């Protein structure tokens, strides 16, 4: 189907370490979105990738869309405690969200 | 937060009772969605609406109905609540349809006992 699989499920890092979450689909995606949800909060849109091989940066966050448009990644450089939360990828035009990667950052 | 308000924010109800959750938006956006969030499952679509009186089912629509009689309000009804419907419910809107970013409400935590 149009579901997206996301790994890892959990990631615990020391503050200052890097973090990456991966999103994979068995079918070609027209676009992919990323959201962040803080503990107890609601999902907040981060970015949308549309083009094959696209790379976008937001400060310490780097988002990539695979050449085949079947996978995507979110990389955070030098994590901070403010990065704590769950990161979701979404094939929103098919209404599917990945199961999320929960990031915990130890100060 | 795109002017989205969910009510109530918390509710405890008994098995077998009907429950209605409300999503209200102030921006007159056409597309509105109801998702539920459960541990290990991420967000799963229950129903969505693409205009007044225009709704469609999502992945987990069994046991739920929706209504949209006004642009600003999207109601989710659990006809007869069951314990499996204990969840956090999020309403979302998107400005130009599902190919654009979604804005989520604060969520409603529903417990069915």
């Amino acid at each position: 189907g149009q579901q997206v699989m996301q790994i890892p499920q959990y990631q615990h890092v020391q503050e200052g370490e890097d973090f990456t979450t991966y999103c994979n689909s068995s079918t070609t995606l027209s676009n992919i979105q990323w959201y962040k949800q803080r503990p107890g909060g609601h999902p907040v849109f981060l970015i949308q990738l549309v083009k094959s091989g696209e790379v976008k940066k937001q400060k310490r966050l780097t988002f990539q869309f695979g050449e085949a448009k079947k996978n995507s990644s979110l990389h955070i450089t030098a994590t901070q405690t403010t990065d704590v939360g769950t990161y979701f990828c979404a094939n929103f035009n098919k209404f599917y969200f990945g199961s999320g990667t929960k990031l915990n950052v130890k100060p | 937060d795109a002017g989205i308000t969910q009510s109530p924010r918390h509710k405890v109800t008994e098995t077998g009772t009907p429950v209605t959750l409300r999503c209200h938006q102030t921006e007159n956006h056409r597309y509105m969605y109801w998702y539920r969030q459960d541990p290990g499952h991420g967000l799963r679509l229950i129903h969505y609406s693409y205009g007044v009186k225009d709704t469609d089912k999502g992945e987990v629509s069994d046991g739920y109905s929706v209504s949209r009689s006004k642009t600003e309000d999207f109601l989710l009804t659990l006809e007869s609540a069951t314990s499996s419907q204990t969840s956090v419910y999020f309403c979302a809107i998107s400005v130009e349809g599902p190919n654009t970013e979604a804005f989520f409400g604060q969520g409603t935590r529903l417990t069915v006992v």
Side-chain angles (χ1 to χ4, degrees), chain B:
Chain B
D1 290 336
I4 304 170
T5 305
Q6 289 186 234
S7 59
R9 294 292 313 280
H10 302 271
K11 186 170 182 65
V12 180
T13 193
E14 292 186 349
T15 298
T17 60
V19 178
T20 295
L21 308 183
R22 182 184 184 229
C23 178
H24 178 80
Q25 57 143 331
T26 59
E27 305 292 326
N28 285 324
H29 294 308
R30 183 179 166 194
Y31 294 87
M32 299 184 76
Y33 313 83
W34 276 108
Y35 280 86
R36 61 177 288 175
Q37 185 174 36
D38 305 288
H41 288 280
L43 292 143
R44 292 180 294 174
L45 182 71
I46 305 171
H47 282 277
Y48 68 100
S49 171
Y50 42 94
V52 173
K53 299 186 179 178
D54 290 324
T55 65
D56 209 345
K57 295 180 179 179
E59 179 188 0
V60 291
S61 60
D62 287 349
Y64 301 94
S65 63
V66 289
S67 67
R68 191 157 178 213
S69 57
K70 298 184 291 184
T71 300
E72 58 265 37
D73 288 325
F74 192 30
L75 304 180
L76 176 70
T77 297
L78 288 66
E79 305 290 347
S80 177
T82 67
S83 58
S84 65
Q85 293 176 311
T86 292
S87 187
V88 179
Y89 291 85
F90 286 101
C91 173
I93 64 101
S94 60
V95 175
E96 296 178 5
N99 266 323
T100 56
E101 66 188 276
F103 298 92
F104 284 80
Q106 301 294 320
T108 295
R109 182 172 294 277
L110 176 68
T111 302
V112 183
V113 299

Side-chain angles (χ1 to χ4, degrees), chain A residues 41-95:
Chain A
H42 60 281
V44 174
F45 176 82
L46 294 176
I47 209 160
Q48 176 168 288
L49 304 172
V50 178
K51 299 177 182 176
S52 169
E54 189 169 16
V55 178
K56 287 189 176 180
K57 293 190 176 184
Q58 291 178 350
K59 297 183 180 178
R60 294 178 293 104
L61 278 60
T62 302
F63 304 85
Q64 295 190 23
F65 201 10
E67 293 289 343
K69 301 183 73 173
K70 289 185 176 182
N71 56 75
S72 181
S73 65
L74 158 58
H75 179 82
I76 301 178
T77 302
T79 55
Q80 299 175 359
T81 54
T82 53
D83 296 323
V84 165
T86 302
Y87 293 84
F88 295 96
C89 61
N91 181 12
F92 191 71
N93 61 326
K94 297 296 183 185
F95 313 115

Side-chain angles (χ1 to χ4, degrees), chain A residues 16-27:
Chain A
E17 292 181 340
D18 292 356
F19 158 78
T20 305
T21 174
Y22 301 90
C23 190
N24 297 291
S25 170
S26 58
T27 59

